[in-house]
């Protein structure tokens, strides 16, 4: 039962955080400032351990 309450509160907190950020962005736009940029996650690059392996992968 307690776990259920915690989950509900966590969902509400996440919703309120998102809503708060939207409102902050809107306020900044009304002030003539820029909104917070949406930053995408970076793609993972393959780890190449040596120069020889890197060259080998580049060649067809």
């Amino acid at each position: 039962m307690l776990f259920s309450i915690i989950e509900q509160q966590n969902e509400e907190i996440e919703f309120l955080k998102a809503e708060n950020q939207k409102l902050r962005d809107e306020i900044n736009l009304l002030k003539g400032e820029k909104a917070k940029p949406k930053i995408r996650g970076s793609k993972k690059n393959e780890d190449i351990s040596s120069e020889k392996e890197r060259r080998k992968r580049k060649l067809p």
Side-chain angles (χ1 to χ4, degrees), residues 9-46:
Q9 289 181 341
N10 192 33
E11 288 176 9
E12 187 173 351
I13 288 170
E14 292 301 317
F15 172 77
L16 292 173
K17 282 182 180 179
E19 183 69 21
N20 194 1
Q21 187 61 51
K22 287 179 191 176
L23 293 172
R24 286 181 186 196
D25 290 345
E26 187 174 343
I27 289 170
N28 286 338
L29 288 174
L30 291 171
K31 287 181 177 179
E33 299 173 4
K34 294 182 179 179
K36 183 178 178 182
K38 295 181 182 178
I39 301 173
R40 297 183 204 160
S42 64
K43 295 180 183 178
K44 290 188 175 183
N45 293 332
E46 290 183 26

